Amino acid sequence: MLLYGGKSAEHEVSILSAFSILQAISYNFYEVQLVFIAKDGRWYKGPLLTEKPVDDSVMQLADGQEIAPCAIKSENTIVFPVLHGPNGEDGTIQGFLETLDMPYVGGGVLASACGMDKIMTKHLLQVAGIPQVPYVPVIRNVWRENPKQIFEQCEGSLIYPMFVKPANMGSSVGISKVENREELQNGLLEAFRYDQRVIVEQGIDAREIEVAILGNEDVRTTFAGEIVKEEAFYDYNAKYVDNTIKMQIPAEIPEEVQTKARDYAKRAYMILDGAGLSRCDFFLTHKNELFLNELNTMPGFTEFSMYPLLWENMGIQYNDLVEEIIQLGLNRYNQRK
Ligand code: ADP
Ligand code: MG
Ligand code: MG
Ligand code: K
């Protein structure tokens, strides 16, 4: 069962990923049920899609029948929650599927929640001794009570430019690059629109490299690929609207950096209790210093997305990759029984 769409700002990305996955699942001879979550949070059981969805209106027209979420419960069915961002990738759907006692693809509640929350991820990486850029966590109530103290804290430990991000988001939504105190204030207000937990980070001038991870207890990683940026900030438009992203797979980086990136990715995945899949993203400075930025427990999954392309470079084709992560979901469920 493909669960896609979702309430988050990454709704459209989910639809694109779902379409590619659907092709692979059908190709692998699985019987597929589609369940679409509209932006307003309603759930629909829909017919199979045969055409590439252009936008949300196509999905709405798919004359799906509205259902109660718990109506998805069925035997001998594994759920593939192709949902990105809050209410999908953050442990909420995973907890719901645990409650329904249905097997599902990808990380469990803990990994999803910790991977989604940038502050939690930072805390765990710190414990694991994995390098990351300096940061200041900011909680909305604390900010409201004493904004001056927050400014001083940020300016005391970081230098401009800084990046301000909602803790619980993805696809660069709500993120700003700020150059001074006024912009920092505006960035915080913008980020607080999405979450009451925000992170202010040291901005760095760096390359962005990514490692794909696959597995439950037995964790495999790929060579890193690079997002070759034309703009300094890889924002939502660059990612999905303008399609200005170029990928270099494998990344042209020294062998020791490759090895280190794969090692950090694996360690971070294990400490977060990762399962199934994740994409681990890094910053690499021009002096070859490596900082782990984040783990995405349900990375973009179209045929042209970094995650499947990284595996293709290791010799695993898209359809086989989808099959493998479905098997990992089933294994995890059976082992926990
Ligand atoms: P998301 O989960 O939304 O992808 P990221 O932390 O990956 O959030 O930030 C999105 C993008 O913003 C990154 O891919 C990068 O281009 C830019 N960015 C984020 N943090 C920094 C930083 N500290 N320094 C420089 N660029 C950053
Ligand atoms: Mg992310
Ligand atoms: Mg990112
Ligand atoms: K994340």
Side-chain angles (χ1 to χ4, degrees):
M1 177 182 295
L2 258 185
L3 197 56
Y4 71 104
K7 267 164 67 172
S8 86
E10 291 166 280
H11 182 92
E12 281 74 21
V13 189
S14 163
I15 294 176
L16 293 175
S17 298
F19 183 76
S20 293
I21 294 169
L22 176 62
Q23 308 298 310
I25 298 180
S26 313
Y27 180 88
N28 293 348
F29 303 108
Y30 285 100
E31 210 180 289
V32 195
Q33 275 182 301
L34 280 178
V35 174
F36 174 62
I37 305 178
K39 273 193 170 160
D40 64 5
R42 294 184 198 208
W43 292 43
Y44 296 87
K45 209 170 191 162
L48 289 188
L49 292 167
T50 47
E51 270 178 58
K52 192 170 181 100
V54 189
D55 60 32
D56 210 36
S57 57
V58 179
M59 312 309 304
Q60 309 282 19
L61 286 175
D63 65 57
Q65 173 203 345
E66 188 175 350
I67 54 166
C70 57
I72 66 166
K73 169 75 183 169
S74 34
E75 300 303 319
N76 303 319
T77 303
I78 177 163
V79 179
F80 196 145
V82 199
L83 299 163
H84 307 299
N87 280 304
E89 193 181 345
D90 63 349
T92 50
I93 289 287
Q94 290 73 15
F96 175 64
L97 296 171
E98 294 282 348
T99 308
L100 291 181
D101 191 25
M102 289 181 79
Y104 56 91
V105 164
V109 174
L110 184 66
S112 306
C114 293
M116 195 73 237
D117 187 279
K118 295 191 193 302
I119 299 177
M120 269 319 289
T121 306
K122 295 267 181 199
H123 287 329
L124 290 171
L125 294 178
Q126 199 158 356
V127 172
I130 297 175
Q132 53 187 330
V133 295
Y135 65 97
V136 173
V138 185
I139 309 302
R140 184 158 54 199
N141 277 348
V142 180
W143 153 259
R144 280 185 182 149
E145 271 165 31
N146 196 346
K148 192 160 166 269
Q149 186 196 332
I150 300 293
F151 286 138
E152 283 167 3
Q153 210 183 334
C154 292
E155 289 169 352
S157 53
L158 313 171
I159 47 172
Y160 292 108
M162 300 172 195
F163 273 76
V164 188
K165 317 177 185 180
N168 202 338
M169 207 23 91
S171 294
S172 304
V173 175
I175 297 186
S176 337
K177 180 180 182 181
V178 301
E179 305 278 355
N180 52 49
R181 194 178 270 210
E182 192 188 336
E183 288 180 15
L184 173 58
Q185 171 161 7
N186 291 337
L188 283 165
L189 294 174
E190 171 67 10
F192 283 133
R193 287 177 51 208
Y194 297 95
D195 197 356
Q196 69 216 22
R197 291 156 64 75
V198 162
I199 189 155
V200 181
E201 248 180 48
Q202 180 59 60
I204 52 167
D205 183 17
R207 296 164 71 183
E208 294 187 51
I209 66 164
E210 309 191 337
V211 171
I213 313 171
L214 183 66
N216 293 340
E217 280 101 60
D218 177 24
V219 180
R220 283 174 289 161
T221 58
T222 63
F223 283 116
E226 178 169 7
I227 302 285
V228 184
K229 293 177 291 184
E230 299 193 333
E231 294 162 55
F233 175 19
Y234 178 19
D235 66 4
Y236 189 89
N237 277 340
K239 282 178 182 170
Y240 306 111
V241 182
D242 308 336
N243 241 328
T244 48
I245 299 300
K246 289 198 189 79
M247 290 176 246
Q248 169 71 46
I249 302 173
E252 286 170 10
I253 53 177
E255 205 179 305
E256 11 4 313
V257 178
Q258 275 288 7
T259 310
K260 212 195 265 181
R262 295 176 79 174
D263 173 54
Y264 289 159
K266 185 171 174 177
R267 275 166 50 197
Y269 186 73
M270 283 162 59
I271 199 169
L272 255 78
D273 190 34
L277 74 163
S278 271
R279 196 192 69 225
C280 187
D281 300 351
F282 295 89
F283 296 125
L284 180 65
T285 68
H286 301 284
K287 291 182 194 154
N288 281 332
E289 286 167 297
L290 191 62
F291 298 105
L292 202 157
N293 177 35
E294 62 163 345
L295 268 122
N296 293 296
T297 51
M298 189 54 74
F301 215 112
T302 72
E303 283 159 275
F304 311 105
S305 301
M306 184 62 116
Y307 183 86
L309 292 177
L310 285 170
W311 281 110
E312 199 178 292
N313 179 55
M314 307 299 284
I316 302 182
Q317 300 305 315
Y318 190 91
N319 290 341
D320 298 331
L321 181 64
V322 169
E323 174 71 37
E324 199 149 333
I325 59 176
I326 290 174
Q327 287 306 324
L328 286 167
L330 288 170
N331 292 348
R332 180 165 175 272
Y333 176 81
N334 292 328
Q335 269 164 16
R336 282 154 37 115
K337 281 261 123 177

